[in-house]
Amino acid sequence: MTLTNNDLQAIATLLQPINNRLDKIESEVTALKTSNEKIESEITALKTSNEKIESEITALKTSNEKIESEVTALKTSNEKIESEIAALKFGQRDLKKEMREVKDKVSDTYELALEAWGQSTENRTWLEQNQAIG
C-alpha cells in the first residue's frame, strides 16, 4: 500500500480540527487568566468597603463555580484530545510499519528486476554465442 500526496493531504486535513481545538483551548485559558486577574483586582477593591464585601463574595463564589465548571470542561476536553493524540500516535506507528513494508517490497521488486535483467542479459549472450558457433 503506497501513500499518495492525496492521502497525506487527507491526513493533514484530519489533524486540522485538533489544531483548531488546541487554539480554542489556548484562547479560553487566556480568557480565564484575564478573568482571574479581574477578580483579584475586585477583591483588592472590596477590602476597602465592608458593605461591598458581602455582595462581592457572593459574586465571586458564583464566578468561582463558573471557573471550576470551565476548568472541569477543559480537563474533559484535554483528556479527549490526549486520547485522540494517542490514537493518532498509534495510527502513525501503523503507517510507519506499512511504509517499511512497502519499502521492503519495493526493494525486493527492484532486486528481482535486477536479477531478471541480469539473467536476460546472460541468456542473450549465451544465445548469441551458440548462434555464432552453430
Side-chain angles (χ1 to χ4, degrees):
M1 172 186 220
T2 302
L3 292 177
T4 65
N5 283 339
N6 288 339
D7 294 334
L8 295 174
Q9 287 175 347
I11 291 170
T13 301
L14 292 173
L15 293 175
Q16 189 58 42
I18 293 173
N19 289 333
N20 292 344
R21 286 183 188 172
L22 289 173
D23 290 343
K24 183 178 177 183
I25 289 171
E26 286 178 5
S27 174
E28 290 176 357
V29 168
T30 301
L32 286 173
K33 286 180 181 178
T34 302
S35 176
N36 192 33
E37 290 171 2
K38 182 179 177 182
I39 290 169
E40 289 176 3
S41 173
E42 290 175 2
I43 289 172
T44 302
L46 288 174
K47 289 180 181 178
T48 61
S49 172
N50 285 337
E51 292 176 2
K52 289 184 178 181
I53 289 175
E54 293 296 324
S55 64
E56 290 299 322
I57 287 175
T58 303
L60 287 174
K61 286 181 180 178
T62 302
S63 178
N64 189 38
E65 289 171 0
K66 182 179 177 182
I67 290 171
E68 288 176 359
S69 174
E70 291 175 359
V71 167
T72 300
L74 285 173
K75 285 180 181 178
T76 301
S77 177
N78 188 39
E79 290 171 2
K80 183 177 179 182
I81 289 171
E82 287 175 356
S83 173
E84 291 174 351
I85 288 172
L88 286 171
K89 284 180 180 178
F90 182 79
Q92 186 178 27
R93 274 185 261 146
D94 283 349
L95 286 174
K96 283 181 181 180
K97 179 183 174 188
E98 289 178 18
M99 285 174 53
R100 258 186 254 115
E101 291 173 1
V102 168
K103 179 184 171 192
D104 291 344
K105 287 178 182 179
V106 167
S107 187
D108 291 345
T109 302
Y110 179 74
E111 291 296 323
L112 184 61
L114 282 177
E115 186 178 314
W117 177 69
Q119 185 66 42
S120 171
T121 303
E122 288 175 14
N123 288 346
R124 188 178 314 117
T125 303
W126 183 82
L127 284 173
E128 290 172 355
Q129 287 174 352
N130 283 339
Q131 287 177 351
I133 294 172

